[in-house]
Amino acid sequence: MHVTAIIAAGGRGARFGDARPKQLLPLAGRPILQHSVEAFVRHPQIAGVIVALPPELTANPPEYLRASAKRLTLVDGGARRQDSVARAFARVPAQTEIVVVHDAARPLVSDDLIARTVEAAASDGAAIAALPATDTVKRGNYQRLVVGTVPRGEIFLAQTPQAFRTAVLREALLRADREAEATDEAALVERIGHPVRLVDGDPRNVKITTADDLELAERLLGGGPAGASLIRIGTGYDLHRLVDGRRLILGGVVIPFEKGLAGHSDADAVCHAVTDALLGAAAAGDIGRHFPDTDPRWKDADSLALLARAVEIVEAAGFTVVNVDVVIIAERPKLAPYVDTMRAHLARAMRVADGQVGIKGKTNEGVGSIGAGESIAVHAVALLSGRR
Ligand code: MG
């Protein structure tokens, strides 16, 4: 089944008091329009996406509308929504069997909802996502007086996507050309007398028309389960041998001791474990990949600088550091007097507050190489939050 998506993004509505059209306002760090376009670009049933835009945007489209894994066509929107959709429809490829129309202002549309709507259109010719009314519905007059109560079971609140067999939408758009404005494509299809199937909508599929909607969408994206969770956890581990003739450096602090840790860099196992935890949380590889010990640049390197560089890498991937926690396992020396200084050094390197860094010292109860004072091991976890 060949399915083409049309994203209606031609509106200039600026109800937010922002100079930009509302579909370009950022949601979780990306324009609302980008979320909506990507939902269809990544969907396995969608062959191509046509976006109807304000003309100034088609003339100079942002990067995410230029580079795409799928066929992405941009058209100038028209005065009315149905004009925008008609212009986009004119570019639908001949082999397309189902056209699915979506409002750019609904950036949280789920893969499932797209699939449900497309499948219902394939069987019934026309289908829209809609939610049953949960509030009691009153009919009122222009004096703001109730003139009746509408049976709630008859009321459904239309969303998009709305999907149609190509021939059905073609006929509806032809008719619409000569008629009054419609607020959605289903209304055009109703006018030609074709039945429209109601598909279970999604309460998360909010339409962003006010600043409150935008805030709600931010919350849904941040805390929701639908692949949008932007909290990431990472773990790191390091162990170095204790040898004569080296300084003992942990967490950027030079600790007076008769031995130090062997290694290519300053062998600061605390920084190394935290660096790996951060890189791991961002799925950005590990310390060996970014700072190979075969590279002379990192010989005797200050591991706090490597840690600072790792923070830059995870930030470039769209994350910020929430907190890190560290366990240092060393039989000797006693680390408690140095813990707060280590925390301050790590916090400065990561550009976070000291309160976001935990460090605990443990002994190994005399067991194994650590217990025998031959090595020191460090475990670390890091939590990142995404800004994408
Ligand atoms: Mg190391």
Side-chain angles (χ1 to χ4, degrees):
M1 187 166 55
H2 191 276
V3 185
T4 296
I6 291 175
I7 311 281
R12 283 190 188 73
R15 262 183 260 185
F16 290 86
D18 194 289
R20 285 173 288 185
K22 68 176 181 236
Q23 64 270 30
L24 298 188
L25 293 179
L27 167 64
R30 289 182 297 155
I32 291 170
L33 173 62
Q34 184 175 358
H35 288 274
S36 300
V37 169
E38 285 174 359
F40 286 86
V41 166
R42 71 167 174 255
H43 199 284
Q45 287 176 300
I46 307 294
V49 180
I50 305 171
V51 189
L53 291 167
E56 62 272 20
L57 271 183
T58 44
N60 187 22
E63 179 61 28
Y64 60 88
L65 293 178
R66 277 182 265 156
S68 166
K70 274 187 193 156
R71 228 176 74 104
L72 193 59
T73 308
L74 308 182
V75 300
D76 287 347
R80 301 171 303 173
R81 178 193 170 89
Q82 67 218 52
D83 301 325
S84 295
V85 172
R87 287 182 184 186
F89 185 78
R91 304 287 296 276
V92 167
Q95 71 269 36
T96 292
E97 297 159 85
I98 300 286
V99 178
V100 53
V101 182
H102 187 65
D103 192 331
R106 292 188 189 270
L108 302 190
V109 60
S110 70
D111 291 358
D112 272 359
L113 184 56
I114 294 169
R116 282 203 291 282
T117 313
V118 166
E119 277 148 27
S123 65
D124 292 332
I128 66 169
L131 288 176
T134 51
D135 295 331
T136 298
V137 181
K138 301 290 186 189
R139 187 176 291 114
N141 65 15
Y142 288 102
Q143 286 92 44
R144 290 282 170 114
L145 291 171
V146 172
V147 295
T149 300
V150 183
R152 189 165 59 192
E154 296 179 2
I155 301 297
F156 292 86
L157 307 175
Q159 301 186 329
T160 64
Q162 307 195 342
F164 312 91
R165 275 196 220 118
T166 307
V168 172
L169 185 58
R170 178 180 296 116
E171 190 187 340
L173 287 168
L174 273 174
R175 174 86 69 89
D177 204 29
R178 302 182 293 270
E179 291 186 12
E181 186 161 358
T183 52
D184 70 355
E185 289 60 52
L188 304 177
V189 171
E190 292 155 39
R191 283 181 199 165
I192 62 168
H194 196 290
V196 179
R197 173 68 60 197
L198 291 164
V199 173
D200 287 340
D202 180 354
R204 287 173 49 95
N205 181 28
V206 289
K207 182 172 186 178
I208 297 179
T209 48
T210 67
D212 281 347
D213 300 330
L214 190 55
E215 217 181 290
L216 171 63
E218 290 273 2
R219 281 204 304 277
L220 288 170
L221 265 183
S229 178
L230 295 172
I231 293 291
R232 295 285 185 271
I233 194 168
T235 179
Y237 169 78
D238 198 20
L239 180 143
H240 284 250
R241 284 183 299 112
L242 277 166
V243 294
D244 293 323
R246 292 269 300 182
R247 293 192 302 169
L248 176 60
I249 301 175
L250 290 171
V253 179
V254 181
I255 296 171
F257 191 53
E258 71 256 25
K259 292 180 173 184
L261 295 175
H264 182 69
S265 67
D266 62 9
D268 186 335
V270 170
C271 287
H272 296 175
V274 173
T275 297
D276 260 355
L278 290 169
L279 294 171
D286 65 11
I287 193 168
R289 185 178 117 198
H290 292 281
F291 315 107
D293 60 13
T294 50
D295 187 331
R297 271 186 302 168
W298 314 122
K299 174 139 174 59
D300 297 321
D302 175 357
S303 296
L304 282 173
L306 307 190
L307 176 59
R309 175 72 194 118
V311 170
E312 287 173 12
I313 291 166
V314 303
E315 285 180 349
F319 295 101
T320 52
V321 178
V322 176
N323 76 308
V324 302
D325 190 27
V326 177
V327 181
I328 307 171
I329 311 170
E331 208 65 20
R332 285 196 313 128
K334 278 230 161 313
L335 299 174
Y338 308 102
V339 159
D340 284 341
T341 316
M342 289 187 224
R343 290 174 55 220
H345 280 292
L346 294 185
R348 202 176 320 135
M350 292 188 286
R351 290 180 279 122
V352 298
D354 292 10
Q356 290 164 276
V357 181
I359 297 182
K360 288 101 62 195
K362 302 281 283 183
T363 74
N364 215 39
E365 294 284 345
V367 175
S369 79
I370 299 171
E374 294 164 8
S375 62
I376 288 178
V378 180
H379 295 266
V381 289
L383 196 68
L384 305 179
S385 87
R387 290 173 302 167
R388 289 186 297 125

